[in-house]
Amino acid sequence: MERELDDLLHCPCPSCGAQLQYNAEKEAMACNHCGYTEKLVLGKDRIEEIDWTQARTDSKHTVERRLFTCQRCGAKTTVNYDTPTITCGFCGSTNVNPDATKTRLFEPQGIVPFKISRTQATESFKNWIGQSIWAPNDLKNLARVDTLHGIYIPFWTYDVQTHSEWEGEAGTYYYVNEQFRDQNGNVQSRQVRQTRWTYRNGTHQQFFDDILILASRQLPQQTIQKVYPFLLENVVNYEPRVMLGWESEVYKIDPQEGFSVAKKIVDDRIESACAELLADDTYRNLEVQTEYSDQTFKHLVLPLWICAYQYNGKTYQFLINGQTGSISGNRPVSVWKVLLAVLAFIGLVILFSVLGGR
Ligand SMILES: [Zn+2]
Ligand SMILES: [Zn+2]
């Protein structure tokens, strides 16, 4: 006998009793039945840095299944207990399971509520698809609303102080005169560039604030970075009501694993900074040793519109930052359109060379 999923979030409309949902356009809880709206004022006092010594590999991950009884239509289905938002497969009602986050060691501290509504996201997607002159003509018909998902995605942010010792060789260019014989056997001279190498070393300190790392496996870190930045100054206290009417997930990448991704980003930036300190005209053999201290992290939930669409058997992805509306994605290219453009160009080149040759 499966355990019931209880304590679903109740947020009834005071005037008609239907479940309220978070409305991105109005930035309020709103009723889709009677139009009632209620402003949601959220503080920022619970968003605090967690000391790195608290970071542990999460052993609480659970795959437990629970029986979900839809509050609206009564249909029963089995769902993962760690699913924060459940859409009833029978009536489409959306439900929030506030206990989902308790299946993980760290609960979200902050959230950025959706600002880009479904209407705006659909509009952006259609514009973006239509914008490319290389896109196949029938692609515009693909811009269907139901392929877009508004999902609250889990993230980690990391702060870290770094102290680095670097050493390497700085290269300075200089020029020497060189004599050579030309085709006719005459002695000529020319300038040749040489590099003088000088050993250098030094230190570099850099503080990194809020390095934002994806805690979901839905898409790669590199993909999400294309719709950065999120304006983290607008993060408010985590509030499950904001998830009513949306999709969401709990983190799948724990703080330790997330930090190894952040560390790569940090190390790359330190290396560039040290290279700049070392280089004269150029540099080589740069070695950097870094110590990390004052390390902290936070757990945030941020809004994202995700669309995966199929065209000619290939999957393409499209993303919208749910806070800023920033867009990224890949789209198919029409082979015929590109071919025609190339042929037209070749035609013009031939035409001009014929005209020029007269
Ligand atoms: Zn109502
Ligand atoms: Zn239902």
Side-chain angles (χ1 to χ4, degrees), residues 196-267:
R196 185 181 303 114
W197 296 103
T198 323
Y199 173 84
R200 277 184 195 167
N201 64 356
T203 59
H204 171 72
Q205 327 257 2
Q206 194 170 349
F207 180 70
F208 292 89
D209 187 30
D210 286 342
I211 306 262
L212 192 61
I213 302 296
L214 192 66
S216 159
R217 297 198 198 276
Q218 291 227 20
L219 60 172
Q221 173 75 28
Q222 288 88 335
T223 307
I224 197 110
Q225 275 170 223
K226 292 183 186 148
V227 296
Y228 278 7
F230 282 94
L231 311 173
L232 297 184
E233 59 271 27
N234 297 331
V235 172
V236 291
N237 289 342
Y238 174 71
E239 164 59 60
R241 273 183 295 170
V242 170
M243 302 206 295
L244 276 169
W246 303 85
E247 294 172 50
S248 64
E249 64 167 325
V250 292
Y251 67 84
K252 304 288 191 317
I253 292 174
D254 58 39
Q256 304 271 12
E257 190 185 339
F259 184 67
S260 62
V261 181
K263 194 169 164 293
K264 248 193 90 30
I265 295 173
V266 164
D267 288 346

Side-chain angles (χ1 to χ4, degrees), residues 68-76 87-95:
F68 159 72
T69 309
C70 176
Q71 305 298 301
R72 199 208 272 169
C73 74
K76 289 181 193 293
T87 303
C88 172
F90 295 90
C91 73
S93 77
T94 58
N95 303 271

Side-chain angles (χ1 to χ4, degrees), residues 111-116 150-153 155 224 227 230 246 301-305 320-324:
I111 190 166
V112 168
F114 267 94
K115 272 197 105 123
I116 306 296
I151 313 179
Y152 283 108
I153 302 277
F155 281 85
I224 197 110
V227 296
F230 282 94
W246 303 85
V301 183
L302 305 177
L304 202 72
W305 284 100
I320 307 175
N321 181 318
Q323 179 189 30
T324 66

Side-chain angles (χ1 to χ4, degrees), residues 156-187:
W156 302 107
T157 75
Y158 299 94
D159 286 6
V160 63
Q161 174 68 51
T162 65
H163 173 93
S164 308
E165 313 252 337
W166 58 265
E167 62 177 349
E169 287 169 88
T172 311
Y173 296 145
Y174 64 98
Y175 296 86
V176 291
N177 273 318
E178 192 183 79
Q179 302 215 314
F180 69 101
R181 278 184 196 278
D182 65 15
Q183 288 162 327
N184 305 322
N186 299 321
V187 175

Side-chain angles (χ1 to χ4, degrees), residues 12-20 30-36:
C13 170
S15 81
C16 79
Q19 179 99 304
L20 296 179
C31 176
N32 290 344
H33 288 262
C34 71
Y36 170 89

